[in-house]
Amino acid sequence: MSEQDLLDMEGQVAIVTGAGQGAGRAIARELARHNVGGVAVNDYVAERAEAVAGEIRATGVPAMAVPFDVGDIAAVRAANQAIKDTLGTPTILVNNAGNAGPVDDIGFSAMFWEEDPSAWDKYFRTNMFGVMNCCHTFIPNMVEARRGRVVAIVSDAGRVGEARLAAYATAKAGAAGFVRAIAKESGRWNITCNAISLSTLEPPMPPEQLAEYVQTERAKAYVSRYVIRRYGKPEDVAGMATFLCSKAAAWITGQTYPVNGGYSFAI
């Protein structure tokens, strides 16, 4: 990109977790448009990670698939070494992996006090400990390089609360608090750490099926809670994530930015 690109990544190598589909895929593809040195695409499904890496390579940008579960710190560390060996040292980390990780999709549960405690683990493993595992592994690269970007995708469930999603909301709130703490620890090395708080993105359906779904009374009732009357799109997330990873956000750290169509407001 030209030197006029305010979103220039200055040749840094990026890793995006949970990037085999949805918002993660959009973030990885958007970063690739702004002078990254390469993009490591993570997903716990290897085929999805490789497909997105292939899309990025087709644009002329180096990319590789790194399939692993963010809840497995040994696997995260092995991926870090593999990225170094293939693309170079990663100094941009987007912690996008979420929901319930490789176990199953997120879903509304019973009231918290009626829920079996074993149901909590899957949310904390991915949304809290997964973020911690990745930061513990990749931030030393940034300290050594004396620059870096960390972005965590959290949720309005954690920022304002959501009934029957207590464990998920708590894990996401914990991740946002963790990001603020490491922002204070790492800022002296020109490392910024921020979070993006999402509400609901459009369901992952084929275009024709999605077009039918958004016209249903159920969907209309759901999006009526949003000032902008639609579900979020992966591209809505990608724009903010790319900004926070770029040189344009060099003096922004420790913040949580709602990207939520006006579902909730923040000061």
Side-chain angles (χ1 to χ4, degrees), residues 10 17 26 29 60 68 73 83 102-103 114 121 125 134 156 159 162 170 181 224 238 242-243 245 250 255 259 266:
E10 303 178 306
T17 67
R29 287 165 56 94
F68 61 84
I73 194 166
I83 297 166
V103 179
E114 298 172 344
D121 296 346
R125 177 181 174 87
C134 289
D156 268 15
R159 201 171 64 83
E162 191 68 58
T170 302
S224 68
T242 300
F243 166 70
C245 290
Q255 307 302 315
V259 176

Side-chain angles (χ1 to χ4, degrees), residues 47-58:
E47 294 79 9
R48 291 198 306 228
E50 181 51 46
V52 176
E55 292 171 356
I56 293 170
R57 288 194 295 268

Side-chain angles (χ1 to χ4, degrees), residues 32-241:
R33 297 180 57 242
H34 297 282
N35 190 30
V36 287
V39 181
V41 179
N42 162 258
D43 198 280
Y44 61 82
V45 178
E47 294 79 9
R48 291 198 306 228
E50 181 51 46
V52 176
E55 292 171 356
I56 293 170
R57 288 194 295 268
T59 69
V61 175
M64 66 182 292
V66 281
F68 61 84
D69 173 5
V70 296
D72 180 350
I73 194 166
V76 178
R77 290 170 176 163
N80 183 38
Q81 188 58 55
I83 297 166
K84 289 180 177 181
D85 293 342
T86 304
L87 298 176
T89 300
T91 54
I92 293 174
L93 166 64
V94 181
N95 292 290
N96 171 75
N99 289 341
V103 179
D104 57 26
D105 290 331
I106 187 173
F108 287 100
S109 63
M111 294 297 186
F112 175 73
W113 54 90
E114 298 172 344
E115 192 173 44
D116 191 290
S118 64
W120 309 338
D121 296 346
K122 60 188 177 184
Y123 297 117
F124 282 88
R125 177 181 174 87
T126 298
N127 297 288
M128 181 75 250
F129 295 120
V131 173
M132 295 176 74
N133 288 342
C134 289
C135 289
H136 192 272
T137 298
F138 291 104
I139 286 179
N141 299 339
M142 306 176 197
V143 171
E144 184 175 354
R146 303 191 70 81
R147 66 173 182 173
R149 298 283 187 271
V150 176
V151 175
I153 307 300
V154 296
S155 171
D156 268 15
R159 201 171 64 83
V160 301
E162 191 68 58
R164 297 176 61 194
L165 285 176
Y168 173 76
T170 302
K172 285 296 193 182
F178 170 73
V179 165
R180 291 191 290 273
I182 61 170
K184 288 190 173 182
E185 292 187 12
S186 63
R188 70 190 68 183
W189 289 282
N190 297 310
I191 300 166
T192 67
C193 305
N194 294 287
I196 300 172
S197 182
L198 301 184
S199 280
T200 304
L201 300 187
E202 59 187 17
M205 300 175 177
E208 300 81 5
Q209 186 179 352
L210 179 62
E212 291 181 7
Y213 174 75
V214 297
Q215 295 304 315
T216 64
E217 291 305 312
R218 177 183 177 184
K220 289 178 180 178
Y222 194 91
V223 300
S224 68
R225 298 183 292 174
Y226 294 76
V227 173
I228 301 175
R229 295 287 200 269
R230 65 170 174 85
Y231 287 103
K233 298 178 182 295
E235 293 74 20
D236 296 324
V237 189
M240 178 59 82

